[in-house]
Amino acid sequence: TSIKFPTWNRNRLSALVRRIALSTVLLPLTRLFVWLRIEGLDRLEEVKGPVIYAANHQSHLDAPVILAALPKTRRYKVATAAALEWFSAHFYPERYSRMAHLRNGFTYTLAVLCFNVVPLPTKEAGARDAIRYLGALLTDGTSVLIFPEGLRTTTGEIASFKSGIGMIASKLRVPVIPIRIDGVDLILHQSWKMARPGRARVAFGSPLTLLGNDYQDHARKIEKSVKAL
């Protein structure tokens, strides 16, 4: 079945609400808990226009931490990819109770409004729809943040990057900026309910251009670049 991606998140009102929510509430709250050291910002100047940000995944705080680290000129034009499975009850209401569908639908709407969330299927089915949608976002000038491991770390180690990132980068023909984050799992570990203030680091790598159909190799190159930061 075809996934119905939102279009309302790309209008001016949504963009304004998102900017206000991020700048007045979400990012100040993030900075309260996460004391950031940022490296490699000069590498972002090597590219003009939208990019794919590929980062290792440590915590639910990763997206706001990366947005806080980005310069203002780029911060408000980012869509964040999340596993479609997080929003299963919204997309497949027939499998869930009405209450679960409504609750998950509200969470999804809030995530799209605040973080421009794009639900990405982890299975092959729906990948074409997702790539088309990401292409439309990039054409609009919106960069896309992806966590290619597909899951959060429990140990701080970086897991293998899935080949999907290689396919997306190659098919959409936009530069990939590797990003490494360290310490965010010690601020909000996936087993915790509440964050604990602490230091974290965000490092931006040099842009990568990936062409051709060896998606696994592309994913390995991106993973290697992230680990090297």
Side-chain angles (χ1 to χ4, degrees):
T1 52
S2 210
I3 302 160
K4 282 196 167 56
F5 289 102
T7 52
W8 55 266
N9 58 320
R10 285 149 64 190
N11 67 36
R12 278 185 183 174
L13 181 60
S14 294
L16 180 64
V17 170
R18 188 175 307 120
R19 193 180 182 112
I20 292 167
L22 284 169
S23 59
T24 61
V25 180
L26 300 169
L27 297 185
L29 206 55
T30 301
R31 290 188 186 102
L32 202 61
F33 284 93
V34 187
W35 310 328
L36 263 182
R37 189 170 97 236
I38 306 162
E39 297 170 14
L41 278 177
D42 53 319
R43 290 170 179 152
L44 295 175
E45 290 163 19
E46 295 173 36
V47 281
K48 298 282 178 274
V51 297
I52 292 169
Y53 299 110
N56 59 309
H57 203 4
Q58 294 200 321
S59 165
H60 279 322
L61 281 176
D62 291 348
V65 163
I66 289 167
L67 291 177
L70 282 167
K72 276 185 183 171
T73 50
R74 286 188 167 272
R75 183 179 298 153
Y76 302 107
K77 292 288 276 178
V78 179
T80 304
L84 182 76
E85 285 68 23
W86 281 105
F87 309 108
S88 282
H90 171 73
F91 286 101
Y92 307 109
E94 66 282 358
R95 301 179 196 171
Y96 296 85
S97 69
R98 183 165 167 75
M99 184 50 75
H101 170 60
L102 289 171
R103 199 164 46 230
N104 194 238
F106 176 73
T107 304
Y108 173 65
T109 303
L110 214 54
V112 173
L113 187 61
C114 293
F115 290 104
N116 212 358
V117 157
V118 179
L120 284 191
T122 48
K123 310 271 189 307
E124 243 351 91
R128 194 174 294 163
D129 289 340
I131 286 175
R132 198 178 294 127
Y133 184 71
L134 291 175
L137 287 171
L138 289 159
T139 303
D140 275 359
T142 300
S143 294
V144 178
L145 169 60
I146 296 178
F147 300 101
E149 290 163 282
L151 39 85
R152 287 166 290 156
T153 185
T154 52
T155 61
E157 295 291 312
I158 297 175
S160 296
F161 281 16
K162 295 185 166 33
S163 59
I165 182 67
M167 178 170 73
I168 289 167
S170 173
K171 287 196 176 296
L172 297 176
R173 297 181 176 214
V174 286
V176 175
I177 302 276
I179 301 176
R180 177 161 182 160
I181 50 179
D182 291 301
V184 185
D185 57 324
L186 302 177
I187 294 167
L188 181 60
H189 192 270
Q190 67 162 297
S191 62
W192 302 349
K193 289 214 161 39
M194 187 64 196
R196 305 170 189 174
R199 298 182 190 283
R201 167 183 173 262
V202 175
F204 296 97
S206 293
L208 304 170
T209 302
L210 303 159
L211 303 168
N213 297 332
D214 193 342
Y215 305 140
Q216 197 70 58
D217 186 56
H218 294 339
R220 273 196 296 267
K221 277 182 187 152
I222 299 166
E223 182 189 327
K224 201 174 159 191
S225 298
V226 170
K227 284 179 172 172
L229 291 169

